[in-house]
């Protein structure tokens, strides 16, 4: 799995970090980012749900 976050689209709603906190966090400005070493989703079944929860569709998930 490959996860990417479009920082130009992200509004910092935080739904990703709330849905899959083992993969996503928010930076000092409140924008979404992946936790270090979690770029592959770390096997979390909630990654796709977190992408769907994003109100501006800033997260994309692709199968590797």
């Amino acid at each position: 799995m490959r996860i990417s976050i479009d920082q130009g689209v992200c509004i910092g709603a935080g739904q990703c970090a709330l849905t899959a906190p083992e993969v996503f966090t928010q930076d000092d400005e409140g924008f979404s980012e992946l936790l270090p070493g979690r770029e592959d989703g770390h096997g979390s079944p909630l990654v796709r749900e977190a992408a769907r929860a994003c109100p501006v569709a800033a997260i994309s998930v692709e199968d590797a």
Side-chain angles (χ1 to χ4, degrees):
M1 175 182 303
R2 182 171 181 265
I3 305 165
S4 59
I5 302 168
D6 186 338
Q7 296 297 334
V9 174
C10 179
I11 61 171
Q15 294 304 306
C16 57
L18 290 172
T19 304
E22 66 280 357
V23 177
F24 297 95
T25 190
Q26 290 177 283
D27 65 15
D28 292 338
E29 296 175 4
F31 296 106
S32 178
E33 65 181 13
L34 293 165
L35 288 168
R38 305 296 169 102
E39 295 83 4
D40 64 353
H42 198 62
S44 173
L46 297 174
V47 170
R48 291 184 195 283
E49 183 60 34
R52 284 190 290 271
C54 180
V56 293
I59 301 169
S60 62
V61 179
E62 299 175 18
D63 291 321

